Amino acid sequence: MNYVITGASRGIGYDLALLLASDPGNRVLVLSRDAAKLELLAKELDGVSGAGYFSYLPYDLSRPDASALLSAVSQMGGVDVVVNNAGALVNKPFVELSDADWRQVFDTNFFGPVALIRTLVPLLREGRQSHIVNISSMGGFQGSSKFRGLSAYSASKAALANLTECLAEELAEEGIAVNCLALGAVQTEMLAEAFPGYQAPLSSADMAGFIAYFATQGQRFFNGKVLPVSLSTP
Ligand SMILES: NC(=O)c1ccc[n+]([C@@H]2O[C@H](COP(=O)([O-])OP(=O)(O)OC[C@H]3O[C@@H](n4cnc5c(N)ncnc54)[C@H](OP(=O)(O)O)[C@@H]3O)[C@@H](O)[C@H]2O)c1
């Protein structure tokens, strides 16, 4: 399978890319802003014997570049699975959130995936068992407990979850499944920044293992679903 994964310079996306690209049968393209960290990931994969095709594109989701993306995907030979994993979090009380804060969070968590999906749909139509997996959060899961300070982040993740349901309907006839995973706490730098001192029950490698399985197989069982993947939140 051919995978495009956003947000692979650290955290869950890094471990997901490492895991998928370690399989010789896979081809993986990753996107993030920090080229130096993506280069480190490439170096780590160089040391994995029999690793599959891996390439990276320094990319800012808040400044979509369709032609660079299309060129990188066509170099890989097409795409079957897209994991919209990149995320931005601003932790501030609602009254202190500026317009710029709201825009930054929505540009990364919502409008970035919108532009990416729109660009890749024509290629996903030609894919094998095509699957778009949107990574949301329990904060964006309807009816869940919410955390103070995360209104922009949670609202953007709720928008991504809703988009999943809409796109599943529109893209079903094209043979493209769209699902959303609403993650609970995972021990990463994002979590440490949002909840200093909190110890999550899962590592990024644990969650990457589940997402790798779901991204590859989940389209056989689910479409248009927003699934909570959480040990810690109702
Ligand atoms: N960790 C948790 O407990 C938890 C819980 C619920 C949901 N999630 C979700 O799971 C996903 C991964 O989380 P994580 O904890 O691994 O986060 P993380 O460690 O903060 O990593 C976030 C990734 O997103 C990338 N990114 C951020 N802004 C970007 C932009 N404008 N353009 C391109 N890439 C961008 C970052 O790369 P660059 O800085 O290099 O661009 C980084 O690779 C996120 O969507 C997050 O919201 C996490």
Side-chain angles (χ1 to χ4, degrees):
M1 295 274 247
N2 290 16
Y3 301 81
V4 171
I5 303 166
T6 68
S9 64
R10 66 182 204 175
I12 297 165
Y14 186 101
D15 282 321
L16 179 63
L18 191 59
L19 183 61
L20 287 170
S22 296
D23 182 330
N26 290 338
R27 300 173 74 79
V28 175
L29 166 68
V30 299
L31 277 56
S32 274
R33 293 165 302 180
D34 191 332
K37 287 193 186 152
L38 295 177
E39 180 61 37
L40 286 178
L41 174 56
K43 286 216 173 82
E44 191 167 351
L45 278 161
D46 278 346
V48 175
S49 82
Y53 171 98
F54 173 80
S55 72
Y56 65 85
L57 176 65
Y59 196 89
D60 185 346
L61 285 163
S62 64
R63 292 179 187 168
D65 181 345
S67 71
L69 179 59
L70 284 171
S71 150
V73 174
S74 77
Q75 264 177 32
M76 180 165 67
V79 58
D80 306 299
V81 175
V82 175
V83 184
N84 283 306
N85 164 77
L89 182 149
V90 174
N91 186 356
K92 281 186 194 172
F94 173 77
V95 292
E96 290 174 23
L97 281 167
S98 64
D99 286 350
D101 289 330
W102 279 94
R103 287 212 183 86
Q104 186 221 332
V105 171
F106 266 76
D107 277 349
T108 306
N109 297 354
F110 183 68
F111 291 113
V114 166
L116 190 100
I117 292 167
R118 190 173 51 216
T119 301
L120 295 183
V121 159
L123 298 173
L124 285 162
R125 278 189 196 121
E126 295 157 16
R128 306 154 285 172
Q129 298 196 324
S130 296
H131 196 192
I132 298 169
V133 180
N134 294 323
I135 302 299
S136 181
S137 161
M138 284 307 291
F141 191 76
Q142 194 175 11
S144 68
S145 314
K146 299 296 185 278
F147 295 100
R148 300 172 71 87
L150 299 187
S151 56
Y153 174 77
S154 299
S156 70
K157 292 295 190 179
L160 185 63
N162 187 281
L163 178 73
T164 301
E165 296 174 332
C166 299
L167 287 185
E169 197 56 36
E170 285 202 29
L171 300 179
E173 285 174 13
E174 321 241 21
I176 305 169
V178 192
N179 289 298
C180 177
L181 300 177
L183 308 189
V186 181
Q187 198 58 47
T188 65
E189 289 171 67
M190 177 189 277
L191 185 90
E193 284 156 19
F195 303 105
Y198 179 80
Q199 188 59 44
L202 294 173
S203 69
S204 57
D206 292 330
M207 187 55 86
F210 175 75
I211 296 172
Y213 167 75
F214 184 81
T216 309
Q217 297 288 332
Q219 65 276 50
R220 295 174 54 218
F221 305 98
F222 301 96
N223 190 26
K225 299 297 184 290
V226 180
L227 303 167
V229 185
S230 174
L231 290 167
S232 54
T233 319

